């Protein structure tokens, strides 16, 4: 048998790679180019904006005679903190790099296609090795995207075509724009080849609108009036049909929760009163914040609780006494109770103030007789945890020397069913807080790719918490696995900046993404809880618009928070109403569950 020439072998290999592309399309009806091998300089790059069932952006890199393709659900971001989900789809022929037009409805991927960016790419190192290892680094030289980028395969079912999920990440260079988010895709609304908008392409009578590479028709520069279109982007809704990524060719994501809507919340100028109604024994929250009428103990009574040693300094040198701390918790009761009421609590006690001995206490077999307990089965037997229902219970804990409040991620009526996930972003001492902010926004965006809304709060230290409310149903082991998968995705993408290891000696220059709080019995500090640290800081819930450069956690303390709340709406009001489930596709993408 005669031996095939290298060119013939390469053509045969490319044709084999295009079998999936061929099988999905009827070329008698679609104007898309047929799966033929074409000559090329070998390093073509393009992004096509594709209004299929859901709008997305198709990233294509030429490799081995075909266009390796990823559907980027929300488009590229110039912010290095963003991790954009990129669903690896079937290889496309090189001629697809010239396709701009309309795929008829009813055909595979029906909708308008625009060449949004085009140029060349240069791999950093061996592209075959990087692709096989799931970490492809490259340089883009496009009209709109330039500089260093990385595609990282998520540690999921990578061998199954159609469920091969990657992340597209902008590396830090002179082309990076921290905090840019969707700014580029929002303003760059015209074709990089024809200068047309999506609407103009869709309304064109000729179905097939190819733009040869040798055309000299220049694209308008970014920022012209033609590009200042603001079209609603349905790709903000993420998720998939029945929560599973079915097709190797991306058709679009959708979900039943408007995850990214949280971006645009702003603190309102008028205060808003809210009544929490979370129950264990079906006990309604009772707000007994008014002082009793009895004059005898007036100056030493808070919310009906007699405060012993009211002048004892809890924070030495600050004038924050035991009575003043009780008054603080009474003042924030309507804000903190929805987060801690009816949950098992772990508490930090400082009986003689923060200048003395402080200790964590979980189990309460004696003392604090006025407070209810819940019996919880543990490995060593049954233990009793405190449960509070109302403002009087809250202040009663302060009377007993409590400073910090750390609730479980489950209600006391069923502690085996978590209803929230928390990722604690804990930076090493040499890490700037701006990097923590970037990481929190990246975690938010990755969760949103899975259709999960999240919320943020300061911790009273250098870190931030990202909190995800959940519908009760997931188990603790499954939740911990999912949280670990999120954390490891960041560590895998950038091991120099992130770690999932708790050992402090290996955390220099890194942010520890602590997923271990998502385990049965683990806790995290409550929003509005005081911390037993210098300055009497407070863990403070935020809206995402506040998580930006310039955020200063030290701004929130016992002395400042009550005044801030007087003109603020609850940034977490949606958290207490929202019940969402982690989709199956998210577990599969992370390779956990």
């Amino acid at each position: 048998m005669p031996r095939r020439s290298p060119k013939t072998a390469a053509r045969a290999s490319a044709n084999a790679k295009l079998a999936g592309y061929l099988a999905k399309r009827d070329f008698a009806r679609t104007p898309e180019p047929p799966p033929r091998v074409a000559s090329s300089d070998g390093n073509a790059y393009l992004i096509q904006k594709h209004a299929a069932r859901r709008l997305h952006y198709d990233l294509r890199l030429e490799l081995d005679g075909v266009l390796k393709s990823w559907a980027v659900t929300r488009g590229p971001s110039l912010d290095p903190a963003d991790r954009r989900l990129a669903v690896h789809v079937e290889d496309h022929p090189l001629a697809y790099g010239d396709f701009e037009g309309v795929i008829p409805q009813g055909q595979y991927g029906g909708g308008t296609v625009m060449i949004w960016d085009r140029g060349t790419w240069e791999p950093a190192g061996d592209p075959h090795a990087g692709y096989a290892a799931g970490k492809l680094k490259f340089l883009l030289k496009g009209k709109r995207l330039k500089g260093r980028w990385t595609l990282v395969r998520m540690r999921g079912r990578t061998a199954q075509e159609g469920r091969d999920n990657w992340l597209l990440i902008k590396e830090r260079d002179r082309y990076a724009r921290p905090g840019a988010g969707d700014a580029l895709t929002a303003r760059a609304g015209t074709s990089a080849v024809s200068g047309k908008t999506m609407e103009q392409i869709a309304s064109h009578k000729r179905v097939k609108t190819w733009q040869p590479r040798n055309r000299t028709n220049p694209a308008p520069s970014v920022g012209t009036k033609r590009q200042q279109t603001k079209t609603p982007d349905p790709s903000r809704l993420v998720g998939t049909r029945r929560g599973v990524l079915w097709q190797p060719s991306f058709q679009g994501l959708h979900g039943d929760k408007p995850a990214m809507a949280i971006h645009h919340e702003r603190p309102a100028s008028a205060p808003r009163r809210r009544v929490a109604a979370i129950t264990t024994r079906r006990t309604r929250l009772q707000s007994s914040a008014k002082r009793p009428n009895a004059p005898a103990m007036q100056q030493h009574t808070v919310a009906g609780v007699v405060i012993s040693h009211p002048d004892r300094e809890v924070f030495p040198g600050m004038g924050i006494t035991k009575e003043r701390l009780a008054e603080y918790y009474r003042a924030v009761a309507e804000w903190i109770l929805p987060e801690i009421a009816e949950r098992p609590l772990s508490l930090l006690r400082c009986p003689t103030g923060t200048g003395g001995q402080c200790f964590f206490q979980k189990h309460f077999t004696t003392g604090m007789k006025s407070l209810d307990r819940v019996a919880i089965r543990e490995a060593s037997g049954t233990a009793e945890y405190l449960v509070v229902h109302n403002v009087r219970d809250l202040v009663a804990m302060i009377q007993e020397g409590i400073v910090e409040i750390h609730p479980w991620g489950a209600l006391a009526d069923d502690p085996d069913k978590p209803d929230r996930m928390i990722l604690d972003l804990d930076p090493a001492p040499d890490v700037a807080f701006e990097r923590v902010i970037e990481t929190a926004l990246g975690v938010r965006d990755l969760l949103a790719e899975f259709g999960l809304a999240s919320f943020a709060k300061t911790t009273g230290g250098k870190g931030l918490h990202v909190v995800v409310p959940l519908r009760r149903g997931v188990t603790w082991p499954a939740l911990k696995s999912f949280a670990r998968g999120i954390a490891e995705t960041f560590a895998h993408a950038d091991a120099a900046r992130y770690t999932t290891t708790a050992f402090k000696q290996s955390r220099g220059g890194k942010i520890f993404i602590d997923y271990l709080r998502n385990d049965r019995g683990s806790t995290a500090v409550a929003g509005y809880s005081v911390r037993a640290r210098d300055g009497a800081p407070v863990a403070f819930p935020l809206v995402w618009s506040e998580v930006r450069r310039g955020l200063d956690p030290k701004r929130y303390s016992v002395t400042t928070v009550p005044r801030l709340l007087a003109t603020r709406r609850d940034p977490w009001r949606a958290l207490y109403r929202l019940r969402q489930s982690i989709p199956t596709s998210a577990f599969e993408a992370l390779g956990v569950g």
Side-chain angles (χ1 to χ4, degrees):
M1 177 180 292
R3 297 180 62 183
R4 294 186 299 177
S5 69
K7 182 179 291 187
T8 301
R11 183 178 290 109
S13 175
N15 282 328
K17 293 176 182 177
L18 295 176
Y21 175 86
L22 173 63
K24 299 177 185 304
R25 289 163 175 84
D26 180 356
F27 294 100
R29 301 185 62 189
T30 179
E32 297 166 282
R36 297 195 185 100
V37 177
S39 61
S40 171
D41 56 9
N43 63 342
Y45 143 75
L46 74 149
I47 289 180
Q48 287 164 312
K49 187 175 181 179
H50 188 181
R53 193 171 60 219
R54 290 290 183 267
L55 185 67
H56 62 278
Y57 292 74
D58 291 311
L59 167 66
R60 309 196 194 279
L61 303 175
E62 180 181 352
L63 186 65
D64 295 335
V66 296
L67 292 172
K68 295 292 182 185
S69 300
W70 291 262
V72 184
T73 59
R74 295 175 52 221
S77 170
L78 298 180
D79 186 350
D82 286 346
R83 272 106 176 107
R84 293 296 168 90
L85 182 64
V87 181
H88 199 354
V89 299
E90 78 275 12
D91 294 340
H92 283 52
L94 298 184
Y96 214 95
D98 293 323
F99 177 67
E100 182 172 278
V102 179
I103 302 171
Q105 294 300 321
Q107 293 300 295
Y108 195 72
T112 306
V113 178
M114 168 203 287
I115 300 176
W116 184 82
D117 194 22
R118 192 162 71 179
T120 60
W121 74 291
E122 296 177 5
D126 183 352
H128 300 91
Y131 178 77
K135 196 166 188 178
L136 185 60
K137 291 180 172 288
F138 51 93
L139 181 73
L140 289 183
K141 296 180 179 180
K143 293 185 177 181
R144 286 172 173 151
L145 298 190
K146 303 178 187 297
R148 301 193 308 273
W149 295 76
T150 300
L151 276 166
V152 180
R153 180 187 288 125
M154 300 177 71
R155 294 184 175 182
R157 301 180 180 180
T158 58
Q160 299 182 21
E161 185 180 359
R163 302 194 182 184
D164 193 2
N165 299 322
W166 299 54
L167 297 174
L168 177 64
I169 305 168
K170 179 71 187 80
E171 294 195 7
R172 298 172 191 278
D173 58 19
R174 65 193 181 100
Y175 299 106
R177 298 292 183 269
D182 299 319
L184 178 59
T185 54
R187 74 170 182 267
T190 58
S191 168
V193 173
S194 67
K196 295 177 180 179
T197 65
M198 292 288 278
E199 292 77 9
Q200 289 170 334
I201 295 170
S203 63
H204 202 282
K205 298 302 181 183
R206 289 182 297 127
V207 175
K208 182 180 288 188
T209 311
W210 288 29
Q211 300 292 338
R213 292 178 187 269
N214 59 4
R215 289 286 294 273
T216 58
N217 189 15
S221 60
V222 174
T224 62
K225 291 183 178 179
R226 297 177 67 182
Q227 294 169 316
Q228 301 295 332
T229 57
K230 295 185 178 180
T231 304
D233 187 351
S235 67
R236 295 299 184 271
L237 296 176
V238 295
T240 63
R241 177 165 47 96
R242 292 197 294 173
V244 180
L245 294 170
W246 292 104
Q247 303 283 5
S249 177
F250 182 77
Q251 297 294 303
L253 296 178
H254 73 279
D256 58 353
K257 300 296 181 185
M260 301 310 294
I262 296 169
H263 281 206
H264 306 292
E265 290 184 348
R266 296 291 188 274
S269 58
R272 175 178 180 268
R273 308 290 293 180
R274 79 179 138 68
V275 179
I278 310 169
T279 62
T280 297
R281 300 174 179 83
R282 298 296 181 255
T283 305
R284 296 179 61 85
L285 279 177
Q286 304 293 325
S287 181
S288 55
K290 293 184 178 181
R291 296 174 181 269
N293 295 323
M297 297 296 293
Q298 182 75 18
Q299 69 273 28
H300 302 314
T301 302
V302 179
V305 178
V306 176
I307 306 298
S308 62
H309 308 290
D311 297 326
R312 175 183 291 156
E313 279 199 318
V314 179
F315 289 88
M318 293 190 64
I320 300 176
T321 62
K322 185 177 179 181
E323 183 175 24
R324 185 175 174 188
L325 184 63
E327 288 283 7
Y328 165 82
Y329 274 107
R330 183 195 62 80
V332 302
E334 66 170 329
W335 302 77
I336 191 174
L337 280 170
E339 188 172 353
I340 68 171
E342 319 302 337
R343 295 179 184 274
L345 301 176
S346 293
L347 305 166
L348 182 71
R349 300 185 74 177
C350 303
T352 60
T354 58
Q357 183 182 14
C358 297
F359 55 91
F360 269 101
Q361 186 171 352
K362 299 195 300 182
H363 305 151
F364 292 83
T365 55
T366 61
M368 301 196 197
K369 298 298 185 182
S370 66
L371 299 178
D372 285 342
R373 270 80 163 160
V374 59
I376 297 179
R377 174 184 48 80
E378 296 183 341
S380 58
T382 300
E384 291 190 347
Y385 287 78
L386 288 186
V387 178
V388 301
H389 309 292
N390 51 50
V391 64
R392 193 181 192 285
D393 293 345
L394 176 62
V395 174
M397 291 196 299
I398 311 309
Q399 156 59 20
E400 297 295 335
I402 303 302
V403 176
E404 296 186 10
I405 303 172
H406 297 246
W408 276 42
L411 294 170
D413 64 350
D414 197 342
D416 290 316
K417 291 183 179 178
D419 66 349
R420 65 183 55 175
M421 181 183 79
I422 296 178
L423 289 169
D424 180 5
L425 309 181
D426 185 7
D430 57 343
V431 174
F433 189 64
E434 284 73 16
R435 277 182 51 191
V436 183
I437 292 173
E438 290 179 2
T439 303
L441 295 173
V443 171
R444 175 201 65 185
D445 289 347
L446 180 56
L447 290 166
E449 298 284 8
F450 299 130
L452 295 172
S454 58
F455 299 77
K457 73 167 179 273
T458 67
T459 63
K462 286 188 64 179
L464 289 172
H465 283 177
V466 179
V467 183
V468 181
L470 297 169
R471 180 178 293 108
R472 294 204 281 183
V474 67
T475 65
W476 282 114
L479 180 61
K480 183 179 178 181
S481 293
F482 179 73
R484 185 186 70 243
I486 295 289
E488 289 180 345
T489 294
F490 279 78
H492 175 60
D494 197 342
R497 297 170 66 87
Y498 304 111
T499 182
T500 58
T501 302
F503 300 112
K504 291 186 180 294
Q505 59 268 29
S506 63
R507 289 167 53 184
K510 300 180 181 181
I511 295 173
F512 171 41
I513 303 181
D514 184 359
Y515 64 87
L516 299 173
R517 298 182 183 277
N518 301 286
D519 206 351
R520 190 179 188 273
S522 296
T523 62
V525 68
Y528 309 105
S529 172
V530 180
R531 305 306 303 270
R533 301 175 180 178
D534 291 344
V538 168
F540 198 72
L542 304 165
V543 293
W544 279 114
S545 60
E546 296 171 307
V547 184
R548 62 180 186 270
R549 183 178 292 272
L551 173 64
D552 183 7
K554 294 180 182 178
R555 180 190 179 201
Y556 309 112
S557 68
V558 169
T559 58
T560 63
V561 165
R563 185 168 61 251
L564 290 172
L565 297 184
T567 56
R568 183 180 178 86
R569 294 181 67 188
D570 184 355
W572 281 18
R573 59 190 179 277
L575 181 147
Y576 305 115
R577 300 192 300 267
L578 182 59
R579 291 296 175 264
Q580 55 193 345
S581 299
I582 302 172
T584 302
S585 61
F587 285 102
E588 292 178 346
L590 297 172
V592 299

